[in-house]
Amino acid sequence: MAKKPKKQQQAGGTPATVALTAAGVDFTVHSYDHDPSHPSYGEEAAQAMGVSPERVFKTLVADVDGALVVGVVPVAGSLDLKALAAAVGGKRAAMADPALAERTTGYVRGGISPLGQRKKLTTVLDDSAGAHATICVSAGRRGLEVELAPQDLTRLTAAVLAPIGRG
């Protein structure tokens, strides 16, 4: 049986860890040295933490019919934009302008967290998250991940669960 993560708060935490602490959610913070030359932030995180890429999720911001939407998918795959649009009742989706995503969420690219965003965006979590006791998502900056139960992430972000990832 998997050990339940302990609640941790880092001194000078990110908005994501502050939100988790305020909500009373059990989570674990994982820190690693980020290599700016690594081709994939998510795969780098999985390797650095020694966690299966299927359990590490990346946060991507897309424009669905003129509204920003967050898609959270395993780093081992990619975001299916058609499926994301369908999950929120939209017709068309495209990746959001990175500068707009950063301004709206308050995070930098490669460190966007689904938690503690400046403006709370509609969130869709890939339904594969439910296969794991815990998953990892960005804690709000490159080199910092937070591990938590997918049910807690779903509840705190009011996420829709849908098959939006492509292997």
Side-chain angles (χ1 to χ4, degrees):
M1 182 166 208
K3 200 172 178 184
K4 198 164 186 182
K6 296 282 184 246
K7 222 183 306 183
Q8 290 184 6
Q9 175 60 32
Q10 236 187 336
T14 67
T17 60
V18 169
L20 287 167
T21 300
V25 169
D26 285 340
F27 66 98
T28 302
V29 173
H30 298 276
S31 180
Y32 60 92
D33 291 327
H34 166 63
D35 175 3
S37 69
H38 199 286
S40 167
Y41 297 121
E43 289 177 13
E44 175 192 28
Q47 290 169 357
M49 294 185 302
V51 174
S52 163
E54 289 78 28
R55 282 190 47 229
V56 180
F57 284 64
K58 57 188 168 186
T59 305
L60 302 168
V61 181
D63 179 314
V64 177
D65 299 335
L68 293 181
V69 174
V70 171
V72 184
V73 296
V75 301
S78 61
L79 175 63
D80 181 334
L81 289 166
K82 271 186 152 175
L84 178 67
V88 296
K91 292 184 173 136
R92 204 168 154 273
M95 292 307 296
D97 173 68
L100 178 61
E102 288 179 346
R103 274 194 316 275
T104 305
T105 64
Y107 294 117
V108 298
R109 204 177 108 211
I112 294 178
S113 178
L115 300 155
Q117 296 173 354
R118 183 176 290 150
K119 178 182 179 196
K120 189 173 181 177
L121 300 174
T122 299
T123 300
V124 182
L125 175 62
D126 186 68
D127 61 0
S128 68
H132 309 286
T134 61
I135 61 171
C136 298
V137 296
S138 175
R141 72 171 177 257
R142 296 173 191 152
L144 197 66
E145 294 281 312
V146 64
E147 181 178 351
L148 74 165
Q151 299 82 357
D152 288 332
L153 180 62
T154 301
R155 182 175 51 81
L156 294 175
T157 60
V160 172
L161 288 173
I164 61 167
R166 279 193 292 219

